[in-house]
Structures are given as structure tokens and as C-alpha cells.
Amino acid sequence: MRYRRRFLNPIPAVFLFCGLLSAQGQELIEAKIRAVSVTQKSEQTRSEFELSADWTAVWRNPTAELRPLQIVHGVPVQQANSTGMTALKNLGLGGIVCNVDFSEYMVSEANWETLVRTIEACRKTGLIVWIYDEEGYPSGAAGGLVLKDNPDYEAIALTHDPSRPEPLALRPAYENTHASNNYHAARRYPNLLDEQAVQCFIKVTHEAYWRLLKGHFGTTVKAFFTDEPSLMAVNIGPLPDDIKTNVRVVDPLDADVKPLPSVPWVRDIPARYRERYGENIMEVRRSLFEGTDEADRRVRQQFWGLISDLVSKRYFGQIRQWAKAHGVASSGHSLWEETPLHHIPLEGDALKALGQMDMPGLDMLSSEPQAVIYGGWLTASLPASAALFNGGRRVMTEVSDFSQTMAGKGQAPLTDMMATAGWQAAFGVTEFTLYYDYRQRKNGTYKQYCDFVGRLNAFLREAQPVPRVLLYYPIYDLWGEYIPVAEKLTLDSQSKRMQQIINSFMKLGRRMVKEQISFAVVNHELLASAKVHDKDIWIAGQRFEALVMPAAVELPMSGAAVVEQFKANGGKVLPDKISGKAIDFDSLDSVYASGRLTVPYDQIIVGRFSRQSRDILILVNVAAEPYSGRISGKNSAQWFVAHPDSGQIERIKTDESGRIAVSIPSRGVILLIGYPQTEM
């Protein structure tokens, strides 16, 4: 409705007094309305035809694969049928993310029978299915079954306590970790660095689904969803008291276990460390907890590099290999994506771990659209970059209004839900899995949301993201600086250099989002693998024209050599400085001929894509006020604007300078599609 007002012909004011109208007058009004409707439909049809018939056919009726999936933890018996699944389909959903019921998890034949009926009903009604791989979260425990017969598989940590005669000692990573401080259950957790423990998880969980649902794998069942697995050996803080009392305690906690600085461990760490570095970790392991000289930092960088490789291969990699062998995709998201500080102890290198998924994902707990500016950009850009560099296109989000409801603000309104979906799509998200409560949303708003997401994907899911700028993800430097602490991990507990690097990195990402600069994040390993051609830098078949570097970073030799060659060829390298003048991003105007606002406004999020040689821009206004202005559109001669909320498509013109006039309401989302002149 927001976009239709300007297309209606004015009706004389006298006709608005319906009580005074004659029958002839009423017929005249109806005739005018019909004429306007026919004209609009004609214009819409013409614009769609000129745009692309195959694109717009899907736009008008998005398929199940393009629509959101509802997360349903155990379908009730009475809904495990075609009627129940049709009701979900009528909400506009494309499918469900489900699991065998949490009660008597994995062992109840009745629950398995209900799930089988559910999947069969989805097949009949045309819904797709993802399998959620855990009883609650974090994934990896199989509801406790992994450790039930194999207690030696439990996650362990190397701890440091100077008050002990021997300060360094191993202990289970349970108390004061995410295993005991999460919203689902306090439950001991397997070691994701232990290859056998992960194999057990796959056998207990994935193989059980395969045995009963193998006929649906690759058709109805499309993917597995893993939820917040981590290495545990870090204190991320206790739950609020009012929440903690309601969390189920599966494994009693020992109050005498005091918080200690910890790092993750597995039995073959010494062998793997010696194999890789030719050194004895047992002789230098104190450097994991203390020391500021170069030798200490080198030990920490080597250790965390090894940890990153092990968890990426042994957990995420094993699951991906199993999924590929069984005709489905691996997906999910990690824990605490919002800051690089937590990436170190939780998975070593978040970008590398996500790169082991077929459809890497994120957890977006807030439907406040401006969350993108204050940290959401990193949460989304990590999986989007992982997909870009591993040759994929699908990026998953688990999205909800959890933050709003927990704060007592009620459910997010439809406009905020749409804007939140819009900015995530701008970063490359394609698969929307929902924790929104559809049962409490009325008047068709849930279907409006699902149709909206379907229309976004109708144009974007088969399009290729085209970020031309790289933002260096400084995890290598952070490994060297990271010092474990006993208390809740915060940036204040870390070195001044760590604070400078992370603050610079977060500031740069935030600034580029506000200045409509599309970018991908890249770590030291990917940068070292890059090839330089002319003034461009290529990584995994993707071309980039500029590299933005946070302050105080020191690249390893392999990455530094690539950057020096890039600079020598005339490539744009923009280093941040601890003090002095900030980076001038105006120098990137030549990188992005399309999609820059002619008048700066930091509440517009822009995503850039290409499909069949056509430019696609998605513009999202995350502000509470409408926006009117102009945006550069020089790459294409002819543009269309598509409104995913209403379904309308219009042909628009550029001015003599190649600029496009745009009007975006508060929380509004539009798509601009550009065609070369030769196609029109």
C-alpha cells in the first residue's frame, strides 16, 4: 500500500461524501477505479515483460525453495499430517526446520513415527525440510547420548591457576562455560576437537535420521542445521538470575569448581603441534596464558592456528562430508558471532569454520533493523564471505525478535521484520529460518512477510554478490594477543593492541555499511592464496579492487607479500591508523559506479549483485524516517524498481548524470534492476 498512492488518479472530493452520491455517481467512481486498476495492471505487466519473463514469473509466485522455513521442534501428533502442513504452507512458508521430538530424544519409536508422518506430509504438500541436529542447543551432544556411554569424549580445557604447585592442569570444560550457561539446559558437552566424539555424534544423530528418512534425502529433506557448537573453554558470562532458575539442569554443577583461565584441549594436541611446528607444546604452554614478548605471541598464534584447523576439519568438515555423501547440505551457525574476540576461544577462526558449511549461517536475535549498524554487519558478513569464498551462494539466517520479546517490548512489527530480512539479503542471505511466533500474528501479516522474502529471493538467490572491497579479518593478530581470563571474557580484559585492532576492525565495517560500500571479510590464509592481476586482487575466482586494513595489524609473510604486490600494481590498499586522519572512503567511488548515494545518509544499507549481466541493487532504509534522494546508476542504461512488499515493478529513468531518484519509506526495501541499453 505504501507504493500505490502516487499511481491513483485523483477523484473529485465531492464524490467522497458517499451518502450524497446518486447511483450514477457511484457507478462513475467504480468505473474510474476499474480504469485505474486496469491501467496499473497494464503498466505492471509491461514492466514485468520488459524486465524478464522468467524472473517475474517467480516474483509473482515464489516457489517453496525461495520462502522462509519455520523452526518447529517436534511437530505435535495432531499436526503430523497433510492438513497440518497445508496450514503452514498457507502462511506463506516454504517448509520447516524440524527434529524428532525432544522428549525421550532419539529413543522413542512413537516420536520417530510422528516425524516420519510429518516428512511424508511435507512431501505431499510441497514443503521442504531441514533437520535440526540437536535436542535444544548447543549442537554436538545428541541430547546427552554422546557422553552417556563415552564419558571420555567430554570437552576438556587446559587451565591455569598460579596458586597451585603445578599451575597448568586439565579438567572438564563444563562449569562456567556455555555448556552450563545457556537458555536450554545445563548439560556436559563433547569435545569438538575429538574426531571420535564427533563421529559418535554423527552416528547417533545423522545416521538415525538417514535410516528412517533416506527416501526423502535430497528431495524433501534438503539440509541439516547445527546450532551454536563451540569449544567451550571460555567464560562467556552467567545467565540472568531470573532465567537461570528456569533452566533445566541435566548434569549437576560443582560449586567448588572455580573459574580459571582456560584453553581447549584434546589428547593429540602435543603430537599435532609437534607435527606441524616441530616444537614441544608442553614446554611452552605457559605462553598460552601469559607473556608479552614475540616468542609468547608466536606460541599463541601457532596454537590457535592448530585449534582452528582441528575444529574446522573434525567437526564442521566431518558433518559436511557426511551430508555430501547422503545428498543433503550442511548448514547452521556458530556462537557469539558479534565480536572477533569470542571467535578465538569458541572456534579459533569463525570465517574458516563457516567455510566448512555448504550454507554457512548466522543467528539474528534482534528484529530491530538498525542492529545491522551496531554489529549485525559482522554477524552477516562472516557467513556471506565464507559462502563467497567456498564457491557457494546459499547463506542461512536463524532470525527472530527474541531481543525485543525478552526486553518486554512485544513482537516486532511487520515493517521491522521486513527491513531485518532486507538488510540481511543485502549481505547475501538467502535461506530464512524463523523463530517468529506465527500463532500470535494475525490479519495475514505472516504471509505478507513470507511473500516478501520469497520475492527478494526471486531476484537475488540466483544472483551473484559483487563486493569489490575486502576488509581484513585480523584473527591472526588476535591469536597472538589473546590471554585467557577466569572471569567473563570482555575486551577490557585484553591488551591495548588487541583493543586497538578490534575497535578499528569494527569501526571500519560500521563505516563502510553506513557509506553504502559492499565488502567481504578475508582472513590471512585466504589473502595468502590470492592472485594479483593488474590492479585487481583475486580470491577463489572473485575479483576485488581494494583492501581495507584495520589499525595495528601485522600480516604474516605470505599475506604481506600479496599485499605488497597488489600495492605495487596500483591496487587500492587503505590502512587505518591508531591516530591521525581516518580513511577517506571517497576514493572508492570509482570502484562502485552504481549504488552510492549522491547525498550521504548513513541509514541506507546497499547490497550489490549481478545476474545474467544485469546489475541488481537492494536498498534498505533502516531508519524510522522516510528517505528521498538520488543514487548513482551509471553501470546500466535502463533501470526498474521492484517493491518486494507490494509486488509492484516499475520502469524508471536516470537523469543526465546517470542518477536514479529513489523514495524509500521508513523500514522500506526496494530492488533496482539495471539493463544495458542494448537489451531494451
Side-chain angles (χ1 to χ4, degrees):
M1 292 298 292
R2 295 196 296 267
Y3 298 99
R4 293 179 181 174
R5 187 176 305 156
R6 60 180 176 271
F7 301 113
L8 294 175
N9 290 336
I11 297 174
V14 65
F15 289 150
L16 299 178
F17 295 93
C18 298
L20 300 179
L21 284 176
S22 64
Q24 183 177 6
Q26 291 178 3
E27 291 177 0
L28 178 59
I29 290 178
E30 292 172 0
K32 284 180 173 286
I33 293 174
R34 284 196 298 271
V36 170
S37 177
V38 170
T39 300
Q40 286 182 307
K41 186 173 182 180
S42 176
E43 291 294 327
Q44 173 89 349
T45 303
R46 182 160 59 249
S47 292
E48 288 186 355
F49 177 76
E50 292 174 341
L51 181 59
S52 180
D54 55 337
W55 292 20
T56 55
V58 182
W59 169 271
R60 290 192 297 270
N61 186 25
T63 59
E65 288 78 7
L66 306 180
R67 293 176 173 274
L69 310 178
Q70 188 69 38
I71 301 175
V72 185
H73 291 307
V75 175
V77 175
Q78 63 272 22
Q79 294 181 4
N81 50 53
S82 295
T83 300
M85 295 304 103
T86 298
L88 293 178
K89 186 174 183 179
N90 290 341
L91 290 172
L93 292 161
I96 59 175
V97 180
C98 67
N99 47 266
V100 67
D101 195 89
F102 288 167
S103 64
E104 299 182 83
Y105 186 64
M106 288 282 168
V107 298
S108 167
E109 291 186 10
N111 289 344
W112 279 112
E113 290 172 1
T114 299
L115 179 67
V116 170
R117 289 198 299 271
T118 298
I119 306 305
E120 181 60 27
C122 287
R123 183 193 66 80
K124 291 179 180 178
T125 55
L127 294 177
I128 64 175
V129 174
W130 286 20
I131 301 297
Y132 185 86
D133 72 2
E134 187 52 80
E135 183 262 293
Y137 75 101
S139 290
L145 296 175
V146 170
L147 297 183
K148 182 180 179 181
D149 296 323
N150 305 281
D152 290 343
Y153 288 165
E154 184 173 3
I156 57 175
L158 178 67
T159 63
H160 183 248
D161 185 352
S163 68
R164 295 183 301 219
E166 169 49 56
L168 300 170
L170 295 173
R171 76 179 187 190
Y174 179 48
E175 285 86 0
N176 308 301
T177 73
H178 189 234
S180 60
N181 292 322
N182 64 74
Y183 284 79
H184 178 71
R187 180 173 64 201
R188 292 187 179 275
Y189 188 74
N191 192 343
L192 304 190
L193 296 173
D194 189 324
E195 195 167 20
Q196 293 178 352
V198 177
Q199 288 172 356
C200 181
F201 171 60
I202 292 173
K203 180 179 179 180
V204 171
T205 303
H206 299 65
E207 291 288 348
Y209 284 103
W210 168 252
R211 284 194 298 272
L212 290 173
L213 301 173
K214 65 178 69 175
H216 297 284
F217 273 48
T219 53
T220 301
V221 176
K222 298 288 189 180
F224 272 74
F225 180 129
T226 197
D227 197 359
E228 297 190 350
S230 77
L231 296 174
M232 290 301 164
V234 62
N235 185 344
I236 63 173
L239 295 173
D241 289 338
D242 59 332
I243 299 296
K244 192 171 185 177
T245 56
N246 295 320
V247 172
R248 179 169 56 103
V249 178
V250 177
D251 297 310
L253 290 100
D254 186 346
D256 294 331
V257 175
K258 67 178 182 179
L260 290 173
S262 305
V263 298
W265 201 261
V266 69
R267 60 185 178 280
D268 64 338
I269 283 283
R272 300 288 78 76
Y273 193 91
R274 183 183 293 277
E275 180 180 83
R276 174 174 294 196
Y277 304 115
E279 300 173 8
N280 186 353
I281 185 63
M282 304 304 287
E283 295 177 353
V284 295
R285 55 190 175 149
R286 290 188 67 155
S287 292
L288 301 176
F289 299 92
E290 58 187 33
T292 58
D293 61 26
E294 184 60 33
D296 295 315
R297 287 196 296 270
R298 181 178 62 83
V299 169
R300 292 194 286 267
Q301 284 176 324
Q302 291 181 167
F303 175 81
W304 288 109
L306 175 60
I307 293 295
S308 171
D309 287 352
L310 290 178
V311 72
S312 295
K313 177 182 178 182
R314 293 180 175 180
Y315 185 80
F316 299 100
Q318 278 204 89
I319 290 176
R320 187 183 192 186
Q321 290 173 4
W322 185 94
K324 182 178 180 181
H326 292 80
V328 292
S330 64
S331 189
H333 66 83
S334 55
L335 173 64
W336 210 300
E337 306 112 309
E338 295 83 359
T339 169
L341 172 60
H342 286 79
H343 301 170
I344 305 164
L346 293 174
E347 63 266 328
D349 180 337
L351 185 62
K352 186 164 193 169
L354 290 166
Q356 286 291 336
M357 293 183 181
D358 297 306
M359 295 185 287
L362 65 135
D363 188 9
M364 182 44 54
L365 296 171
S366 174
S367 288
E368 163 53 55
Q370 291 185 337
V372 59
I373 296 172
Y374 302 106
W377 67 266
L378 177 59
T379 305
S381 63
L382 280 167
S385 300
L388 190 72
F389 294 132
N390 73 13
R393 171 65 185 98
R394 311 290 186 254
V395 180
M396 182 277 282
T397 180
E398 174 196 308
V399 62
S400 69
D401 50 9
F402 177 84
S403 298
Q404 285 76 21
T405 55
M406 290 297 291
K409 297 179 181 179
Q411 295 180 332
L414 178 62
T415 52
D416 287 9
M417 293 167 63
M418 288 181 173
T420 299
W423 75 251
Q424 290 181 86
F427 276 86
V429 171
T430 58
E431 319 302 306
F432 290 78
T433 68
L434 312 181
Y435 265 125
Y436 293 123
D437 189 348
Y438 64 88
R439 295 163 297 186
Q440 296 185 24
R441 286 180 165 86
K442 300 179 180 178
N443 302 321
T445 56
Y446 216 68
K447 188 174 189 306
Q448 286 179 264
Y449 173 80
C450 293
D451 289 347
F452 171 87
V453 169
R455 292 189 191 110
L456 287 179
N457 274 330
F459 284 179
L460 295 178
R461 197 168 186 252
E462 299 303 321
Q464 178 68 18
V466 286
R468 295 298 182 222
V469 176
L470 290 168
L471 172 61
Y472 181 62
Y473 171 61
I475 198 68
Y476 180 80
D477 298 88
L478 302 185
W479 289 341
E481 292 298 315
Y482 177 69
I483 299 294
V485 294
E487 63 273 11
K488 177 182 177 180
L489 180 62
T490 66
L491 190 54
D492 290 339
S493 69
Q494 298 298 302
S495 70
K496 182 178 179 180
R497 180 170 177 253
M498 169 85 87
Q499 294 176 34
Q500 291 170 338
I501 293 171
I502 290 181
N503 287 335
S504 173
F505 174 75
M506 298 301 291
K507 177 192 69 176
L508 291 170
R510 190 178 302 118
R511 275 196 61 199
M512 287 195 285
V513 169
K514 289 183 174 183
E515 297 190 31
Q516 294 80 48
I517 298 170
S518 302
F519 61 92
V521 294
V522 60
N523 64 9
H524 57 290
E525 290 185 349
L526 287 166
L527 196 57
S529 72
K531 304 297 181 184
V532 177
H533 298 289
D534 298 326
K535 295 182 179 181
D536 297 330
I537 189 167
W538 291 77
I539 302 177
Q542 305 296 320
R543 180 176 68 88
F544 299 92
E545 301 178 46
L547 171 64
V548 177
M549 300 290 294
V553 298
E554 298 176 3
L555 290 171
M557 291 180 59
S558 54
V562 171
V563 173
E564 287 304 313
Q565 183 184 357
F566 182 49
K567 288 169 62 177
N569 283 19
K572 296 178 182 292
V573 179
L574 306 179
D576 194 18
K577 295 180 174 60
I578 296 173
S579 60
K581 188 177 180 181
I583 291 177
D584 179 13
F585 285 121
D586 288 343
S587 63
L588 298 178
D589 283 348
S590 60
V591 175
Y592 291 118
S594 295
R596 298 296 296 273
L597 301 181
T598 57
V599 177
Y601 186 65
D602 64 7
Q603 303 293 298
I604 299 294
I605 311 301
V606 173
R608 294 171 173 83
F609 299 82
S610 177
R611 182 176 176 186
Q612 297 175 356
S613 301
R614 297 155 191 170
D615 298 319
I616 304 177
L617 303 175
I618 176 172
L619 279 66
V620 185
N621 180 10
V622 299
E625 300 80 28
Y627 171 82
S628 293
R630 291 182 179 273
I631 189 167
S632 60
K634 297 178 181 178
N635 279 352
S636 297
Q638 179 59 58
W639 290 86
F640 294 82
V641 59
H643 305 282
D645 62 342
S646 67
Q648 289 186 313
I649 300 175
E650 310 156 56
R651 185 170 178 171
I652 55 177
K653 295 181 178 180
T654 59
D655 63 18
E656 64 279 359
S657 299
R659 297 173 301 185
I660 306 163
V662 293
S663 294
I664 314 175
S666 166
R667 315 304 205 202
V669 182
I670 63 173
L671 294 164
L672 299 175
I673 302 95
Y675 275 57
Q677 185 67 50
T678 55
E679 292 193 30
M680 301 310 301

